[in-house]
């Protein structure tokens, strides 16, 4: 039976679901984590570093929620602060310098919105990532593995290829937040979720993502092996693209145009 959009939201938030570090552990080898934004601090909500994808050195970056209550508290429930986004950008620029492809795993309800984050330039940090990622001269693949919330997710998703797991969600706002604004009642989150077009199928129909990844055997060796194979093939193809930056630009310029054209016919 097909799941409703809000049922998919609940699945995307499930604490037993594989997190970014789980993907890094099972898909890549030789992961060496790097810390700090060289300005303020290290943000554990974003983990990143250098690893091997088979014979290819890559930079991997993940928004990490953790599984247990202790882990989730330490990781700030996957809500990055400005220093997290600046760390991610530092690693991406380093990858560009040394010619390494970049793979991002995204799972966040949104960027941290506390006053300390705002004081340190949360909006600017996200905006800088959006701007800089458009001109990276190395291949970038971003995968939404759980929640993809607002600019907090988009800050790591300006990529050549954006993929989603079948029960992941991608939205400008949470269903509860949307319901609170529109109807002053967060209890209408299910209704909001149905209107937000947040499922993987919605995102693909709008041209926001290119591929929906099956969750068959999720968390098992076969699941990670399948994603490793897909990443290897796609990065090899992108590495041969002589018009990488222009194609990335055109990718984002064309989002939604097919849907608009269909509506106008």
């Amino acid at each position: 039976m097909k799941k409703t959009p809000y049922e998919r939201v609940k699945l995307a938030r499930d604490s037993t679901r594989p997190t970014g570090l789980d993907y890094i552990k099972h898909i890549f080898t030789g992961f060496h984590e790097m810390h700090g934004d060289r300005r303020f601090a290290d943000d554990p909500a974003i983990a990143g570093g250098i690893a091997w994808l088979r014979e290819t050195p890559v930079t991997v970056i993940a928004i990490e929620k953790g599984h247990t209550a202790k882990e989730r508290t330490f990781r700030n429930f996957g809500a990055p602060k400005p220093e997290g986004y600046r760390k991610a950008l530092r690693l991406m620029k380093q990858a560009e310098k040394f010619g390494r492809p970049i793979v991002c795993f995204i799972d966040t309800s949104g960027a941290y919105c506390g006053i300390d984050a705002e004081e340190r330039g949360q909006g600017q940090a996200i905006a800088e990532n959006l701007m800089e990622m458009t001109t990276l001269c190395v291949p970038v693949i971003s995968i939404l593995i759980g929640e993809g919330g607002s600019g907090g997710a988009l800050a790591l998703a300006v990529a050549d290829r954006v993929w989603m797991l079948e029960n992941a969600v991608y939205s400008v706002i949470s269903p509860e937040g949307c319901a609170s604004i529109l109807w002053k009642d967060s209890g209408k989150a299910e209704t909001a979720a149905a209107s937000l077009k947040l499922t993987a199928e919605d995102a693909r129909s709008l041209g926001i993502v290119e591929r929906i990844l099956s969750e068959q055997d999720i968390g098992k060796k076969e699941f990670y092996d399948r994603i490793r194979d897909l990443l290897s093939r796609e990065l090899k193809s992108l590495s041969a693209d002589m018009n990488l930056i222009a194609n990335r630009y055109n990718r984002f310029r064309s989002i939604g145009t097919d849907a608009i054209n269909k509506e106008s016919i």
Side-chain angles (χ1 to χ4, degrees):
M1 185 175 178
K2 187 176 180 180
K3 299 178 181 66
T4 68
Y6 197 57
E7 286 174 336
R8 292 184 185 270
V9 171
K10 291 179 179 178
L11 286 170
R13 294 171 174 171
D14 192 331
S15 63
T16 64
R17 192 177 181 85
T19 65
L21 285 174
D22 293 325
Y23 285 84
I24 292 174
K25 176 182 177 181
H26 291 96
I27 294 175
F28 305 90
T29 57
F31 175 59
H32 177 76
E33 186 172 358
M34 306 177 81
H35 299 274
D37 67 342
R38 301 299 185 266
R39 292 197 199 180
F40 181 74
D42 184 50
D43 182 1
I46 291 185
I50 305 169
W52 291 88
L53 180 64
R54 294 204 169 107
E55 298 81 24
T56 303
V58 297
T59 289
V60 288
I61 301 168
I63 301 179
E64 174 65 21
K65 282 185 174 179
H67 291 289
T68 66
K70 184 177 180 180
E71 288 174 350
R72 291 199 159 204
T73 300
F74 174 68
R75 302 286 180 180
N76 201 31
F77 299 88
K81 296 181 179 181
E83 48 270 23
Y85 292 113
R86 291 181 179 125
K87 173 171 67 174
L89 181 58
R90 179 175 73 84
L91 296 179
M92 287 188 276
K93 297 300 285 186
Q94 182 193 76
E96 181 180 46
K97 179 179 179 180
F98 292 102
R100 290 191 298 266
I102 300 165
V103 180
C104 298
F105 296 97
I106 300 168
D107 185 13
T108 180
S109 59
Y112 182 62
C113 56
I115 190 169
D116 57 327
E118 299 300 331
E119 288 173 342
R120 294 196 298 275
Q122 183 72 288
Q124 182 183 24
I126 291 172
E128 286 178 349
N129 277 32
L130 302 181
M131 178 178 69
E132 294 290 344
M133 289 186 77
T134 60
T135 58
L136 290 172
C137 61
V138 292
V140 185
I141 297 178
S142 294
I143 306 177
L144 291 132
I145 59 174
E147 287 186 278
S150 194
L154 187 60
L156 294 183
V158 182
D160 302 292
R161 299 289 184 269
V162 181
W163 299 345
M164 283 181 74
L165 267 67
E166 62 180 302
N167 290 316
V169 294
Y170 199 12
S171 176
V172 69
I173 192 172
S174 70
E176 294 83 3
C178 178
S180 295
I181 292 171
L182 293 182
W183 302 296
K184 304 295 186 288
D185 182 3
S186 62
K188 294 186 177 181
E190 188 168 358
T191 302
S195 302
L196 282 169
K197 302 293 184 184
L198 47 65
T199 68
E201 290 85 357
D202 292 326
R204 186 169 61 177
S205 70
L206 292 168
I208 294 169
V209 304
E210 284 83 14
R211 184 187 293 271
I212 298 174
L213 303 175
S214 168
E215 295 190 13
Q216 182 179 356
D217 299 321
I218 188 168
K220 296 182 180 179
K221 181 180 183 300
E222 295 80 4
F223 172 76
Y224 295 116
D225 288 348
R226 188 167 66 247
I227 296 178
R228 184 189 301 110
D229 290 341
L230 290 170
L231 284 171
S232 295
R233 288 199 298 269
E234 198 66 47
L235 286 178
K236 184 177 180 179
S237 174
L238 288 170
S239 295
D241 187 352
M242 302 302 292
N243 299 301
L244 192 70
I245 296 174
N247 289 337
R248 188 184 304 143
Y249 172 83
N250 290 330
R251 177 197 183 281
F252 282 89
R253 288 288 293 175
S254 64
I255 285 177
T257 54
D258 288 343
I260 291 171
N261 291 335
K262 288 176 184 176
E263 288 179 1
S264 63
I265 292 174

